[in-house]
Structure formats: structure tokens, C-alpha cells
Amino acid sequence: MTHLQAGLSPETLEKAKVELKENPDTLHQDIQEVRDMIITRPDIGFLRTDDAFILRFLRARKFNHFEAFRLLAQYFEYRQQNLDMFKNLKATDPGIKQALKDGFPGVLSNLDRYGRKILVLFAANWDQSRYTFVDILRAILLSLEAMIEDPELQVNGFVLIIDWSNFTFKQASKLTPSMLRLAIEGLQDSFPARFGGIHFVNQPWYIHALYTVIRPFLKDKTRKRIFMHGNNLNSLHQLILPEILPSELGGMLPPYDMGTWARTLLNHAYDEETDYCPESYTLSVKDLEKDLSPKTMKRSQSVVEPGVLKRPETVKSEEENMQPLLSLD
């Protein structure tokens, strides 16, 4: 075991070896091979290239050197292309702070049976008069940056649960395809985290419609990890034990305190008042209100027009909606 693996338990070390093909004898060589590829992308500013940083990208791509480098390049390219998103990326930023205090994201104290950190989003908490969807995305990215420092989570990964209870059609209408694509690019394509499952519960028909729009932009691996439970919390509990879930998700624990994770990041700044106008935040590089490209439109237009939700002529039965789209690997 090298010093780069010092934070891993014996169980996680074995998991890294078996599942990720992590070999302590070749670890430094693996890292250097990724680092040597940086010269092939002079258009990207690689602002951090130390061993520990590159290692998280290797773990996220199971030590495939080329895929790890591609993820590393996309990580910095995404930040270059969306400069305004990453200005003042800290918990005390007014928009991020508002989102964090409303539980975007929530982070449960217990890990699941596979050692994964569980993130929860209660979608109806989104107060659109106080912060934007981009603020929520920034809060999630900031939170992941903090958590991915833990080598255990680099190996074991995360699980995301989104509860759509009481999420209104009006709120959903703000989720334009271009915004959702920005989130997909930031989380799926440009961040070194392993997501073992994405669970939708209590989702209304218009969330199914939105999912149909973004589905073409999801990798097959991501699609396999998306579960539509509907109102059937029993199917959720088959994958995540109710003993570690809050009561809102049919669990045995007390209701989730939305400020738990925010207090961890903000400390004494949690109770400080901040003035913030959501309209004041704009992205100069990517205009989130513009339509998708013609190529994208062609793929999604036949289902739902961008920014417009229409009830489909037929909606899957509740039994179908409860089933996972595909089983976990």
C-alpha cells in the first residue's frame, strides 16, 4: 500500500483492487501516464495535476488511462466554458448559500450497504424567487468537491435520491432542456464521482416527460442506474435500507433536517443574513435560456418542445413507473 491509499480501509482497498483494478505496485506509473497526456490538450488549462488529484479520475474510470484523462480534460474544459458558474464557488456565495440551506443537496449521515454516501434532493424545496437552478447546480458541485476529497468515497461512490413530492408543474417549467443538459455535462461527463444509483420517487407525469427529453444525453451506464419508483417506496427500500432513510422517504429515521449539510459547509456563517437577487446571476458563456442546437432539437422535438411541458397522450401505468429502468450493475 502506498501513501496515496493511506485513507482506505482494508475492505475498500480490496474493493479498489477487484472492482477498479487499482494496483499499488503500478499506482505512480498509472498516474504519470495520465499526466503525460496533458501535453495533447494545450487548449485546456490543467490547474491541478498532483498525484492525489489525478488518482480520483483514475478511480472514477476504473484505471482506464485514456478514459481517466478524458474525464480530467472535460473537468477543466467544463470550467473554462462556464466561467461564471465557478466564480466565487464557495458556500458563502449568496445563491449557493440559499440553495444549501434548503437542502440542495441533503447529505445523509449513514452510508448505504456498499459504503456509498447518500445524497437527497427534495425538489419542492426549490424557492425560485430566491435562487436559480444554476445556484442549485453550483451548490451540488461544491458539495461533491468537498466530499470527493474522501478517498473512501472515490472508491465507493454516491447514491442520489430525488423526491418529487409536491413539485409543481410551474416549478418544472423552469427546468429547460438546456439547463438540464448543463447539469448532465457537469455531473455525468465532467466530475470524477461514481454514482451507483439515481432514484426518483413520487415523480409526476411531467418529470417523466422531462426525462424523455434528456435521455439521449445520458450514457448507457447512467441510464442503467436510474430507477423510477413512483409512489412505491418498497422498491426503494429493497435497494437502500429504510433503517438509514428519513421518514419522508419511508425510512425509520426522523425527518431530514435540511440545514444539516449547510451547517457543515458554512459553520458560523450559516445564520448570517445575505441579500440575493436570482435575476442578477447570468452565464455569459452559455445562455441557459436559448434553445438547444438544431441537432439536439431534432432528437428531442418529437417528444417535448424545449421549455414546454405537454401531457403525453399515454402515461405508463403506476406499476411500470415503480420499476427500475434497468438493474444496477
Side-chain angles (χ1 to χ4, degrees):
M1 182 179 73
T2 74
H3 72 280
L4 291 169
Q5 296 178 307
L8 299 179
S9 67
E11 295 78 13
T12 307
L13 274 171
E14 181 64 19
K15 184 176 184 178
K17 178 182 178 181
V18 174
E19 292 187 17
L20 307 185
K21 304 179 179 65
E22 183 168 326
N23 183 348
D25 296 331
T26 62
L27 200 55
H28 288 282
Q29 179 182 339
D30 293 326
I31 291 169
Q32 189 58 45
E33 288 200 23
V34 173
R35 188 183 287 117
D36 288 343
M37 296 182 196
I38 290 175
I39 195 173
T40 67
R41 292 298 305 272
D43 57 311
I44 297 175
F46 292 86
L47 303 180
R48 184 178 171 187
T49 59
D50 58 274
D51 287 358
F53 188 70
I54 291 177
L55 178 56
R56 65 184 65 170
F57 291 86
L58 280 162
R59 285 170 170 163
R61 291 297 181 263
K62 296 185 176 181
F63 278 76
N64 180 310
H65 296 163
F66 177 77
E67 291 299 325
F69 172 71
R70 184 161 70 170
L71 180 61
L72 177 67
Q74 288 171 334
Y75 175 91
F76 286 113
E77 187 173 33
Y78 182 77
R79 282 148 181 76
Q80 284 182 193
Q81 293 175 345
N82 301 286
L83 292 174
D84 284 356
M85 270 188 64
F86 294 93
K87 288 180 180 176
N88 199 38
L89 189 70
K90 53 187 180 181
T92 52
D93 173 86
I96 293 177
K97 181 177 179 179
Q98 299 277 21
L100 287 171
K101 292 178 75 171
D102 278 354
F104 293 107
V107 181
L108 301 189
S109 56
N110 295 304
L111 305 174
D112 77 353
R113 70 186 81 178
Y114 302 109
R116 299 178 297 206
K117 181 70 75 175
I118 303 172
L119 310 183
V120 293
L121 303 177
F122 295 96
N125 285 2
W126 180 15
D127 185 343
Q128 296 174 351
S129 68
R130 296 169 62 234
Y131 50 90
T132 67
F133 176 79
V134 176
D135 290 319
I136 292 175
L137 178 57
R138 296 173 77 220
I140 292 172
L141 288 170
L142 175 68
S143 299
L144 287 172
E145 289 283 5
M147 288 183 278
I148 205 65
E149 293 289 336
D150 183 349
E152 287 277 325
L153 296 181
Q154 293 173 20
V155 175
N156 293 324
F158 301 85
V159 173
L160 176 62
I161 305 174
I162 307 177
D163 184 358
W164 298 99
S165 298
N166 302 315
F167 188 71
T168 66
F169 185 91
K170 182 179 179 181
Q171 287 175 303
S173 68
K174 299 292 186 180
L175 296 174
T176 65
S178 50
M179 286 184 176
L180 294 172
R181 189 176 182 184
L182 184 75
I184 292 169
E185 290 173 353
L187 297 170
Q188 172 189 259
D189 302 327
S190 309
F191 196 85
R194 306 181 67 216
F195 283 95
I198 302 170
H199 302 269
F200 286 15
V201 298
N202 301 311
Q203 70 276 5
W205 67 266
Y206 37 88
I207 296 304
H208 283 278
L210 281 173
Y211 175 73
T212 305
V213 172
I214 66 172
R215 195 173 189 274
F217 307 111
L218 299 176
K219 296 177 180 177
D220 288 341
K221 182 181 290 187
T222 303
R223 294 176 191 173
K224 290 178 182 180
R225 287 164 166 75
I226 295 179
F227 289 74
M228 300 286 193
H229 297 282
N231 298 321
N232 182 8
L233 294 180
N234 288 331
S235 65
L236 173 67
H237 297 161
Q238 290 173 10
L239 299 170
I240 304 176
L241 298 176
E243 287 82 358
I244 63 174
L245 293 176
S247 59
E248 297 96 325
L249 299 172
M252 299 180 181
L253 298 180
Y256 181 71
D257 178 356
M258 298 301 165
T260 300
W261 177 244
R263 292 188 191 93
T264 300
L265 290 183
L266 287 161
N267 294 319
H268 65 277
Y270 180 87
D271 294 318
E272 294 178 2
E273 293 297 326
T274 55
D275 294 326
Y276 177 62
C277 176
E279 289 76 14
S280 67
Y281 183 84
T282 59
L283 287 180
S284 60
V285 180
K286 286 193 174 182
D287 180 6
L288 296 184
E289 294 304 326
K290 69 182 179 181
D291 290 339
L292 297 176
S293 66
K295 183 178 179 181
T296 301
M297 286 286 290
K298 186 175 180 181
R299 284 196 287 181
S300 62
Q301 202 170 37
S302 61
V303 185
V304 180
E305 296 178 12
V308 179
L309 291 174
K310 296 180 180 179
R311 188 178 184 92
E313 294 180 5
T314 58
V315 179
K316 288 185 178 181
S317 68
E318 189 62 33
E319 182 177 357
E320 289 177 298
N321 291 341
M322 292 176 185
Q323 300 303 316
L325 302 178
L326 287 170
S327 63
L328 287 173
D329 290 350

